[in-house]
């Protein structure tokens, strides 16, 4: 019987009070931020905010709980932006939206830093079961970065994959790992690179016993990219059914899908909160279009990060996803 799992791709908005506090503190500690030392006051605000967003997920009844990625000021470029071998430079537009990040320029060998593992260890103290890790996928992280050290595109992608695998190996016990791969859609890899992107994802996924979900978004993968992605040893592939229905459905029908699938059915960038019954109906629509598939697990999630939403709307989206998963379970039973 299919299990319906409510979750998110992480990268949450800050609670309003934390946003105000951090704005004041960062204005006074600008040098510390540039040097990578956040200071005790800033760290304390992030710790308190992390506890709050975890409580919010637990209260909503989400099946998988993330630590929120609240420190990720540079969006999914964060794991590189805080690395000792990386120089952060000017502000770059994050894909085609109105959010920005500092350009991470890799200038030395990339070794695991333990930064993300430290965040998860803090979260694990609060989450008894269902902890989910979030990382940028290796292709997207390489795409957002600039290489001034390795000198070869294939070698750089492999180095990014090894770096992320090292991060994963340091994680505390997590049940699920979401690898966020918007660049597979937004900067689709060309012939040859699409296969290497799949190999890089496979290298990261192989570093954990957790269920690994590769979550592209902002559209659908090109056919060859999708076919190569299926060669990676991952447990689930995600589909952004908010931004693109037809091509995502075609890919799954034509090339198949793993026995776990992640459905981006709630809009992570729109303040309109979906009705739980409507989300459940969208799940039915997708699965009915794939009659040959027998899914072990169906993840219900927003199609993108909820970073873009007001915090109150973000919380309402979480509650809607949790209720939709419960409705889907009841219908199956």
């Amino acid at each position: 019987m299919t299990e319906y799992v409510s979750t998110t791709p992480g990268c949450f908005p800050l609670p309003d009070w934390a946003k105000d506090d951090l704005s004041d503190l960062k204005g006074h500690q600008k040098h510390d931020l540039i040097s990578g030392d956040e200071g005790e006051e800033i760290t304390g605000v992030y710790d308190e905010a992390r506890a709050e967003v975890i409580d919010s997920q637990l209260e909503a009844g989400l099946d998988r709980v993330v630590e929120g990625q609240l420190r990720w000021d540079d969006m999914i470029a964060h794991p590189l932006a805080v690395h000792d071998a990386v120089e952060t430079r000017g502000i770059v537009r994050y894909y085609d939206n109105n959010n920005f990040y500092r350009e991470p320029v890799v200038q030395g060998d990339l070794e695991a830093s333990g930064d993300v593992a430290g965040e998860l260890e803090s979260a694990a103290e609060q989450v008894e079961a269902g902890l989910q890790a979030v990382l940028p996928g290796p292709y997207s992280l390489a795409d957002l970065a600039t290489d001034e050290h390795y000198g070869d595109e294939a070698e750089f992608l492999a180095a990014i994959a090894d770096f992320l695998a090292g991060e994963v190996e340091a994680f505390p016990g997590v049940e699920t790992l979401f690898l966020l791969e918007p660049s597979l859609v937004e900067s689709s890899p060309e012939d040859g690179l699409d296969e290497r992107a799949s190999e890089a994802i496979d290298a990261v996924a192989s570093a954990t016993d957790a269920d690994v979900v590769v979550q592209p978004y902002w559209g659908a993968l090109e056919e060859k990219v999708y076919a190569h992605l299926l060669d990676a040893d991952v447990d689930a592939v995600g589909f952004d059914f908010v931004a693109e229905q037809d091509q995502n459905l075609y890919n799954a029908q034509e090339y198949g899908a793993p026995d776990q699938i992640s459905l981006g059915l709630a809009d992570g960038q729109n303040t309109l909160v979906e009705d739980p019954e409507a989300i459940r109906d969208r799940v039915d629509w997708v699965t009915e279009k794939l009659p040959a598939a027998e899914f072990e697990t169906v993840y219900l999630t927003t199609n993108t990060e909820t970073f873009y939403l007001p915090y109150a709307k973000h919380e309402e989206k979480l509650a809607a996803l949790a209720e939709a998963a419960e409705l889907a379970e009841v219908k199956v039973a």
Side-chain angles (χ1 to χ4, degrees), residues 79 82-84 111-116 163 166-167:
V82 297
H83 197 283
D84 289 342
E111 297 179 356
S113 68
D115 180 80
V116 178
F163 159 65
E167 295 290 317

Side-chain angles (χ1 to χ4, degrees), residues 218 240-243 263-274 279 282 301-306 308-309 313-314 317 321:
W218 287 323
D240 179 353
F241 278 104
V242 173
L263 305 180
L265 298 172
D267 195 331
Q269 301 180 80
N270 194 313
T271 57
L272 177 65
V273 178
E274 294 83 356
I279 298 174
R282 293 172 191 176
T301 182
T302 53
N303 67 318
T304 69
E305 314 102 318
T306 54
Y308 317 95
L309 296 178
K313 291 294 184 181
H314 151 81
K317 294 269 184 179
L321 286 167

Side-chain angles (χ1 to χ4, degrees), residues 80-81 83-90 102-107 146 148:
L80 283 184
H83 197 283
D84 289 342
V86 175
E87 178 186 357
T88 51
R89 293 182 183 166
R102 297 171 300 166
E103 179 190 14
V105 181
V106 177
Q107 298 181 321
T146 297
E148 289 188 354

Side-chain angles (χ1 to χ4, degrees), residues 138-139 153-155 157-158 161 181 184 187-204 221-234:
Y139 178 74
E153 185 178 50
E155 186 180 350
L157 178 58
E181 281 284 14
L184 286 178
S187 305
S188 185
E190 299 176 354
D191 286 351
L193 185 57
D194 51 5
E195 186 174 359
R196 290 195 293 273
S198 175
E199 292 170 353
I201 290 169
D202 186 87
V204 180
L221 300 178
E222 293 182 1
E223 289 182 54
K224 283 190 66 177
V225 175
Y226 179 76
H228 279 300
L229 179 57
L230 293 181
D231 291 334
D233 187 18
V234 298

Side-chain angles (χ1 to χ4, degrees), residues 289-301:
K289 296 290 186 180
L290 303 171
E294 295 182 5
F295 295 115
E296 174 186 321
T297 306
V298 175
Y299 295 92
L300 279 62
T301 182

Side-chain angles (χ1 to χ4, degrees), residues 15-134:
D16 294 336
W17 66 267
K19 189 179 298 183
D20 292 339
D21 287 1
L22 287 168
S23 178
D24 292 339
L25 288 169
K26 289 181 178 181
H28 289 96
Q29 300 183 33
K30 190 172 182 180
H31 173 75
D32 290 341
L33 290 169
I34 293 173
S35 66
D37 182 4
E38 293 173 331
E40 291 184 6
E41 288 182 292
I42 288 177
T43 299
V45 173
Y46 279 126
D47 288 345
E48 187 176 348
R50 181 188 300 113
E52 181 172 324
V53 301
I54 290 174
D55 277 341
S56 178
Q57 293 169 83
L58 295 173
E59 290 172 7
L62 284 177
D63 297 301
R64 297 290 184 271
V65 175
V66 301
E67 66 87 23
Q69 293 71 51
L70 303 178
R71 289 177 54 244
W72 292 23
D73 290 347
D74 295 292
M75 306 297 292
I76 62 174
H78 169 84
L80 283 184
V82 297
H83 197 283
D84 289 342
V86 175
E87 178 186 357
T88 51
R89 293 182 183 166
I91 299 297
V92 182
R93 185 181 293 273
Y94 184 61
Y95 298 105
D96 61 352
N97 60 41
N98 289 323
N99 287 287
F100 301 87
Y101 66 101
R102 297 171 300 166
E103 179 190 14
V105 181
V106 177
Q107 298 181 321
D109 288 343
L110 291 173
E111 297 179 356
S113 68
D115 180 80
V116 178
E119 295 173 336
L120 287 168
E121 287 167 359
S122 296
E125 296 175 2
Q126 195 173 344
V127 181
E128 294 182 1
L131 183 60
Q132 175 178 300
V134 173

